[in-house]
Amino acid sequence: MRSPSTGTVEDSSSALFPVGRQGKYSDSTWPVGGLQMDRDPEHEPVMAAEVVALFATVPPGVVLDATVGAGGHAAALLSAYPHLGLFGIDRDPTALEIAASALASFGPRVVLHHARFTDLDRVVGAAWAAGRGHWPSSGEAAGAPCSISGALFDLGVSSMQLDRAERGFSYRRDAPLDMRMDPGASSSALDIVNGAGPDEMASWFRANGEGRLAGRIARAIVAARPIATTARLAEVVASAVPAAVRRRGHPAGRVFQAIRIAVNEESEELAAGLPATLGLLAGGGRCVVLAYHSGESRFVKQTFANAVSGGCVCPPGLPCVCGASAEFQWVFRGSRGASAAEVSVNARASSARLWAVERLGGRGDVDR
Ligand SMILES: C[S@@+](CC[C@H](N)C(=O)[O-])C[C@H]1O[C@@H](n2cnc3c(N)ncnc32)[C@H](O)[C@@H]1O
């Protein structure tokens, strides 16, 4: 077994480790300073109380935290529900070090793994084998081997990734362009900012809400190449937009987000990981997603609506004659946002949309 900082996504079983087990991750082996940041409201997990409440009815077994990050949501879930174990993944080895330290007190109830959403099909089976005997009920209550009691996706970038200048995510901190959530990934922001064509780049910006300025910003970036740092990229973007737009806030925010989404192939990751996760849920199990921009929310909504309708293609309002059979139900209609109180202390919560579905066949309470 290996720590996630050296394990690769191609090598699933070797990077698996139950937290707190002797000789694996421990506070002494992996001292991590980032945890102290969690006392700052901006580093608290978003909508944590709402997320925890959504897991109250899931059957005993294992919850997948597909974006374990600093382990904030994971710790809240494990504290609230002693009948649950947790399988946490993250593509960022530094995040896993932080999570391992934060979750050490939960011992073998937690198994962490360096993996991406696109690996989920493959790694869940291996994790299930590692957690068997440690996880409450080990998922057997759910029926099929490897079934999970719930799943959480808290999408996007973490505070830690934004705060550490050397990760090259933030237009507010000058550093070499990077933006890879997994520093072992092959392509960075430096590569794509200096390598992509103007049309491709404009399509990223357009998809991320840049509208008619998308082409203009993309052409300005291409003309200014080579661009090596976050500060230079932010400057080029700012100079490409009219003064009136600059007065509404730094125009680099959405452009940086669009580049980060492209670098990390976030749309492709979600498109593979979310449906795969729904397929793993036991009866009564819930899938909960926190989305932070309209592209994410649109995809989550479509995927969940499709699961709830069973893929029904009949016209809305008419009886189903296509033979589709629903396997999921909404936990609540549409999505929910953070409270005004939370948004006032944590700006990141302002864009959060919470979505949840439940697999039929459990005893969960569903509020409509
Ligand atoms: C918003 S943070 C999660 C914070 C976490 N819920 C907490 O309470 O600390 C998102 C995390 O998901 C990870 N991530 C994003 N996309 C991923 C993917 N496709 N596969 C695995 N991890 C991913 C990021 O590296 C980051 O650490």
Side-chain angles (χ1 to χ4, degrees):
M1 290 212 199
R2 258 190 329 202
S3 76
S5 57
T6 53
T8 67
V9 292
E10 286 78 32
D11 184 3
S12 58
S13 57
S14 65
L16 275 169
F17 60 100
V19 167
R21 199 178 275 180
Q22 200 60 26
K24 306 297 178 301
Y25 262 70
S26 70
D27 289 305
S28 56
T29 316
W30 299 93
V32 178
L35 283 174
Q36 287 88 323
M37 296 189 305
D38 288 348
R39 302 281 59 89
D40 174 345
E42 296 227 344
H43 297 93
E44 291 295 333
V46 170
M47 298 183 76
E50 292 87 339
V51 167
V52 168
L54 284 170
F55 286 88
T57 61
V58 302
V62 174
V63 166
L64 165 70
D65 186 340
T67 51
V68 72
H73 286 111
L77 287 168
L78 289 159
S79 299
Y81 305 120
H83 59 285
L84 293 177
L86 186 127
F87 175 43
I89 70 162
D90 205 292
R91 68 196 304 183
D92 183 343
T94 305
L96 283 171
E97 292 175 8
I98 296 172
S101 179
L103 303 174
S105 63
F106 298 101
R109 287 173 67 200
V110 180
V111 172
L112 298 179
H113 191 32
H114 181 217
R116 301 182 294 174
F117 303 163
T118 35
D119 303 312
L120 271 172
D121 269 345
R122 209 160 44 78
V123 298
V124 164
W128 205 83
R132 201 185 185 103
H134 301 289
W135 282 339
S137 303
S138 291
E140 271 119 344
C146 304
S147 61
I148 55 174
S149 302
L152 172 64
F153 290 75
D154 178 18
L155 297 171
V157 71
S158 71
S159 309
M160 178 274 287
Q161 289 161 338
L162 285 171
D163 287 344
R164 295 191 180 182
E166 71 276 13
R167 302 294 299 266
F169 278 99
S170 174
Y171 66 87
R172 294 195 177 94
R173 295 174 167 79
D174 191 20
L177 273 172
D178 191 327
M179 302 196 200
R180 286 171 298 175
M181 291 180 181
D182 180 352
S186 54
S187 185
S188 71
L190 183 71
D191 300 318
I192 71 167
V193 163
N194 291 292
D199 293 344
E200 188 184 7
M201 222 183 283
S203 74
W204 303 334
F205 302 156
R206 213 169 286 118
N208 204 44
E210 219 41 79
R212 62 188 178 80
L213 289 177
R216 189 163 152 174
I217 296 169
R219 285 191 298 277
I221 290 173
V222 170
R225 288 171 179 172
I227 298 175
T229 65
T230 52
R232 176 68 185 133
L233 178 61
E235 187 181 87
V236 170
V237 173
S239 65
V241 305
V245 172
R246 282 199 297 276
R247 280 194 290 274
R248 294 201 291 265
H250 201 301
R254 278 206 302 261
V255 169
F256 269 55
Q257 179 172 269
I259 292 171
R260 186 205 85 210
I261 291 169
V263 165
N264 294 288
E265 300 177 321
E266 292 178 35
S267 311
E268 295 82 352
E269 284 287 314
L270 189 59
L274 195 58
T277 300
L278 292 181
L280 294 168
L281 280 179
R286 290 181 168 185
C287 184
V288 174
V289 182
L290 277 164
Y292 294 90
H293 60 82
S294 59
E296 282 175 349
S297 266
R298 201 164 34 246
F299 180 78
V300 175
K301 181 179 178 181
Q302 275 165 5
T303 304
F304 283 2
N306 194 46
V308 167
S309 76
C312 176
V313 292
C314 301
L318 293 179
C320 173
V321 291
C322 71
S325 126
E327 288 186 27
F328 289 85
Q329 61 188 345
W330 292 103
V331 179
F332 48 81
R333 295 265 172 226
S335 64
R336 290 179 178 167
S339 67
E342 181 173 354
V343 171
S344 71
V345 293
N346 184 358
R348 180 167 159 76
S350 65
S351 55
R353 300 306 310 175
L354 181 68
W355 300 87
V357 285
E358 177 180 300
R359 187 167 207 133
L360 297 173
R363 296 181 302 130
D365 295 322
V366 175
D367 27 294
R368 294 201 170 74

